[in-house]
Amino acid sequence: MESSRPQLSRQRPVWMWAGAAAGLGLALTMFLNNSRSRPHPATPHTATRTFVVSGTVVLGDATSFISDVHGGCTGTGAHADVTDGAMVLITTTGGLAAGRLTDPQALTDGTCQFRFSVPGVPSGQDAYLVMVAEQDLLQYAEQELTGTSVHLRVD
């Protein structure tokens, strides 16, 4: 018996990946150029301390995801890139750290939730740019990303 649901293609056209890479490159260039405008005192090189950012990513608009028969979910439309295994990138002037979305669940409150964990995030930075899948960059302070589980809403 065939399903009446449309099949989602996991492949993206090359131009989408090129556009996403160009957009990320532009955002990183702007971020790094802005951070270089402030003078930094000369200090001896020391090992950078890092921390882990863990939490959930939520799609809360019922039109931004579909559920499957196993209780999972995946993004649709403008959020089609928010899927199991999609990248979570955290960028600072001190470096880049990456993790992946895992464990997609369609919850009874009408939302779609993914878990994520990003190890190796440099501490002591002025700002942290977070990109989930190919969605817009969001800026956070370190205090917002440490301590408790981080809750990111991307719709």
Side-chain angles (χ1 to χ4, degrees):
M1 185 163 135
E2 290 198 28
S3 170
S4 62
R5 285 192 168 166
Q7 294 292 325
L8 296 177
S9 173
R10 292 189 89 71
Q11 290 186 319
R12 303 278 190 262
V14 172
W15 63 266
M16 285 181 73
W17 291 112
L24 180 58
L26 178 61
L28 287 172
T29 300
M30 290 171 41
F31 180 70
L32 293 173
N33 283 339
N34 184 39
S35 67
R36 287 185 188 139
S37 64
R38 292 184 305 267
H40 293 285
T43 56
H45 179 69
T46 58
T48 303
R49 292 182 311 158
T50 63
F51 62 98
V52 176
V53 177
S54 296
T56 58
V57 169
V58 175
L59 292 170
D61 177 4
T63 62
S64 64
F65 71 93
I66 58 171
S67 302
D68 63 29
V69 295
H70 304 290
C73 53
T74 191
T76 60
H79 300 92
D81 54 342
V82 182
T83 62
D84 189 25
M87 295 293 294
V88 177
L89 300 174
I90 300 179
T91 307
T92 70
T93 56
L96 173 74
R100 294 205 177 266
L101 296 178
T102 62
D103 194 26
Q105 295 180 345
L107 303 178
T108 57
D109 65 358
T111 62
C112 175
Q113 175 180 282
F114 298 84
R115 295 187 197 294
F116 74 94
S117 182
V118 180
V121 179
S123 62
Q125 305 298 303
D126 292 333
Y128 296 81
L129 296 177
V130 178
M131 185 168 77
V132 176
E134 296 174 24
Q135 302 298 304
D136 292 334
L137 289 168
L138 303 170
Q139 184 172 328
Y140 294 90
E142 184 171 341
Q143 302 87 303
E144 296 174 289
L145 299 176
T146 57
T148 62
S149 180
V150 177
H151 184 77
L152 305 174
R153 189 168 174 137
V154 294
D155 61 349

